[in-house]
Amino acid sequence: MLSSFKGIFPPVPTIVDELGNLDKPGMARMIDHVIGNGADGMLILGSGGEFCHLSTAQRKEIAAFCLQHVAGRVPVLVGIASPGTAETIELGRHAQQAGASGVLVVNPYYAKLSDEARFIHYRRVAESLETLVFLYNFPDLTGQDIGLDTITRLAREVPNIVGIKDTIDNISHTREIINRVHAFRPDFIIFSGYDEYLLDTLLLGGHGGIPATFNFAPQITRGIYDAFVCNDLYSARVFQQQLAKLSPLYALEQPFFGVIKTAIKLSGVDISTAVIPPALPLDNEKTEQVRNILAHITL
């Protein structure tokens, strides 16, 4: 089962209409696009899926629709994070019943938690579910790192916590997780969160990445992973240099949801670029900036 969690698992944006409701035809096109371009799996309702601005009912609707449309073609991770343990478990049970291959759980946000509170939260979530559980570390947005000691303890003591998406702007942090956890659990899955650390993560012993750029430039991160598997470091370097040209996209707007959707639209996928309030759609000036950044890709 864990062998299927390798490679490129793009975080698929949630396609909505101007009223913020799920655009089912657009969502279906988005899913087919990433599968058709060689994604090994996908993440639904991650950070780029705007889960933080959706109601619980909307999140369940989106998870159910996406899993039904994927129909087992690739593994699907579903983001189930919530500030409270009970709602996280509720969303996890729904995802499990809907057919998710696994769930991704960012640590509770807003209230700062002790190491013990974070550990018990994750243990309770994992023990309440039968599906595979992946940790999601994104301290820039949650305000708190899960913590290396807590990650190590969870990997050691909770069997169905099977991996982590480490979204932290410091590759040494991911290296330390690999060094610590793989010493006693070598099959623990390590996904890079930041696109530009995909190659570094693979070289250090990780398993793949969850890169948003795949949604509009799939040849680049797909190329990095395939080149790594083939030990073609020359090609990996070329793709990495192309990926670096896309990095300025993430700084164009906060949150970046509209940037990703606009880049997808400009790349030729017919989707709505509407975002869920309080996020704002891109104005014409920033749309042109996205267009100019994409124009620098030469592959």
Side-chain angles (χ1 to χ4, degrees), residues 103-269:
V103 295
L104 186 76
V105 191
V106 79
N107 50 301
Y109 36 93
Y110 189 75
K112 294 290 181 71
L113 299 176
S114 68
D115 290 347
E116 187 67 11
R118 286 195 305 280
F119 173 81
I120 291 174
H121 167 77
Y122 274 114
R123 188 183 67 190
R124 284 175 174 165
V125 170
E127 289 177 348
S128 299
L129 303 176
E130 296 176 8
T131 193
L132 304 177
V133 176
F134 287 75
L135 309 176
Y136 182 9
N137 192 40
F138 201 168
D140 277 356
L141 294 188
T142 63
Q144 194 171 24
D145 196 320
I146 296 175
L148 287 167
D149 290 342
T150 302
I151 292 167
T152 304
R153 186 181 172 195
L154 287 165
R156 189 184 300 277
E157 298 183 25
V158 188
N160 68 317
I161 292 180
V162 299
I164 186 169
K165 176 187 179 185
D166 198 33
T167 307
I168 188 165
D169 196 12
N170 183 349
I171 192 61
S172 65
H173 187 275
T174 306
R175 177 210 66 211
E176 188 61 18
I177 295 173
I178 292 170
N179 285 347
R180 286 185 181 211
V181 176
H182 282 185
F184 62 88
R185 195 170 169 185
D187 62 344
F188 195 81
I189 302 296
I190 311 290
F191 281 128
S192 65
Y194 284 122
D195 303 34
E196 61 189 314
Y197 291 148
L198 168 63
L199 182 57
D200 295 284
T201 298
L202 292 168
L203 291 168
L204 288 167
H207 302 86
I210 302 182
T213 49
F214 182 93
N215 290 297
F216 54 85
Q219 72 278 17
I220 294 179
T221 44
R222 178 79 261 165
I224 289 172
Y225 184 78
D226 290 345
F228 169 80
V229 170
C230 295
N231 201 29
D232 181 1
L233 294 185
Y234 172 81
S235 295
R237 176 173 62 84
V238 172
F239 285 118
Q240 183 73 22
Q241 290 171 347
Q242 292 295 305
L243 180 61
K245 296 178 182 180
L246 295 176
S247 294
L249 286 169
Y250 289 105
L252 286 181
E253 183 66 277
Q254 291 183 328
F256 59 88
F257 309 147
V259 175
I260 300 300
K261 291 178 180 179
T262 298
I264 294 167
K265 180 85 169 181
L266 291 174
S267 73
V269 185

Side-chain angles (χ1 to χ4, degrees), residues 14 22 44-45 54 57-67:
T14 301
L22 177 63
I44 299 297
L45 294 169
L54 293 162
Q58 286 175 307
R59 291 172 69 175
K60 289 180 178 179
E61 177 195 16
I62 291 160
F65 174 81
C66 291
L67 288 162

Side-chain angles (χ1 to χ4, degrees), residues 65-95:
F65 174 81
C66 291
L67 288 162
Q68 182 180 41
H69 188 74
V70 172
R73 287 179 284 172
V74 296
V76 179
L77 291 172
V78 176
I80 63 166
S82 171
T85 303
E87 186 175 45
T88 305
I89 292 170
E90 177 187 349
L91 289 164
R93 286 174 173 161
H94 176 270

Side-chain angles (χ1 to χ4, degrees), residues 10-15 26-27 29-34 37 48-50 211-218 246 249-250 256-275 282 287 290-291 294:
V12 179
T14 301
I15 309 304
M27 192 76 232
R29 279 193 295 275
M30 191 67 237
I31 290 169
D32 293 341
H33 166 71
V34 299
N37 279 280
E50 300 177 78
T213 49
F214 182 93
N215 290 297
F216 54 85
L246 295 176
L249 286 169
Y250 289 105
F256 59 88
F257 309 147
V259 175
I260 300 300
K261 291 178 180 179
T262 298
I264 294 167
K265 180 85 169 181
L266 291 174
S267 73
V269 185
D270 183 19
I271 61 161
S272 164
T273 58
V275 291
L282 293 196
T287 297
V290 174
R291 193 189 307 274
L294 294 179

